[in-house]
Every structure is written in structure tokens, then in C-alpha cells.
Amino acid sequence: KVKRAFSLIELLVVITLIAILIGAGTVSYTNAQKKGRDGKRKSDLKAIQQALEQYFQQNGKYPDNSTPTAGSIRCNVGSATNLTWGTDTFTCNSITFLDRLPKDPTDQSSTNGYDYSASGTPPKTYVISANLENNNDSDRITTGIPCTPLGYPTRDFCVSNP
């Protein structure tokens, strides 16, 4: 009786193929996660932009930059209120413009999250910026520094007043 079995080379070939498939799947999954987080960043910034435009229509100016927390929104009507990303409702003078200010999906420090920067007295322009993870994103800004607030690392995606 002859027992059939796999040779060592056949086993190594199969193991190598499985490892290649697992590696390719991991890279694909990681890229999909990055694209998903970037999509959330883009939609968050658009939602904030719409809320800021409603605020402008109501008050004739945009909110101030927050002090002492740079990069945050500060209501400049009624009682001045500093708003915190991810926790506060964008409410100024008893009017709610956004149920909750979003927070960057991976923001875990003040230099990597969303940044709001307004200019003018009273503020008539603003820029909201974030960093995208996918270096191949078509919306990523690669030249100039229109999205970089003072004192922060370079940002590569932003929206501003129309």
C-alpha cells in the first residue's frame, strides 16, 4: 500500500500563496479604511460649512477663532462661548446651527483634528481644514498652503466661505 502525501515543496508553495493573499487583503482593507475616514472628514467639513453659512445669514458675520483653544469656533453673538470639537452643539444666542460639532475620526490631539480659522473684524472669511490620509485623493491639496493654520502642521484639505 502506498500512502499519498504532500511534499514539502508543495506545502511551502501553498503557504506562500496564502501569505500573499492575506497581505493583499490587509493592504486593501487598510486603504478602504483610510478612504472611509477621508469621506467622513469631507462630509464633516461640508456640514460645518453649511452651519457657518446659516450663522452668517443670521448674524452678518462668522464666528471668531476660539481663545484660548486655537482652532475651535467661538460664538461671537450674545454670550461668547468657546465650542469644543466632538462634544458641543453649535448653538449661539439660543439658535442651533449644528446638533454636534464633529470630531476628526482619528483626532486624538489638538494638532491633528479639524481647525477653524476666521479673519477680519468682524470675521467675514473663514477656513476649516483637516488632513486626509489617502495620498491619492483627488481633493487633496498638494501645492501652496491655503489650508495651513498658523502654528499647525500642513493641512491638505479645506473648505472656506463661498
Side-chain angles (χ1 to χ4, degrees):
K1 292 182 180 180
V2 176
K3 291 187 179 182
R4 299 187 135 256
F6 293 109
S7 70
L8 181 59
I9 292 178
E10 290 171 329
L11 289 173
L12 288 175
V13 167
V14 169
I15 290 171
T16 302
L17 289 174
I18 291 172
I20 290 171
L21 291 174
I22 289 173
T26 301
V27 168
S28 178
Y29 177 75
T30 302
N31 287 336
Q33 291 290 312
K34 287 180 182 180
K35 288 179 182 179
R37 287 189 296 266
D38 284 350
K40 174 145 178 37
R41 286 180 183 96
K42 291 176 188 180
S43 66
D44 284 351
L45 266 57
K46 294 292 183 186
I48 298 165
Q49 184 180 37
Q50 290 175 350
L52 289 169
E53 293 309 316
Q54 291 174 353
Y55 182 96
F56 186 84
Q57 292 298 318
Q58 186 76 27
N59 301 297
K61 61 184 176 178
Y62 293 109
D64 290 327
N65 293 324
S66 178
T67 305
T69 310
S72 295
I73 296 172
R74 182 175 186 262
C75 292
N76 53 4
V77 293
S79 60
T81 308
N82 293 336
L83 303 175
T84 304
W85 297 110
T87 57
D88 287 340
T89 301
F90 185 2
T91 300
C92 299
N93 212 19
S94 302
I95 300 170
T96 300
F97 299 99
L98 193 62
D99 287 334
R100 191 178 84 151
L101 278 175
K103 186 174 185 178
D104 186 280
T106 59
D107 167 32
Q108 311 342 325
S109 72
S110 61
T111 58
N112 289 329
Y114 300 145
D115 183 86
Y116 172 78
S117 179
S119 60
T121 306
K124 296 290 185 184
T125 63
Y126 67 84
V127 175
I128 314 163
S129 60
N131 275 324
L132 299 181
E133 294 178 69
N134 179 11
N135 292 334
N136 298 321
D137 193 299
S138 62
D139 293 327
R140 188 170 179 253
I141 298 170
T142 57
T143 58
I145 55 168
C147 299
T148 303
L150 294 174
Y152 284 89
T154 301
R155 305 292 177 107
D156 55 17
F157 180 76
C158 59
V159 295
S160 60
N161 55 304

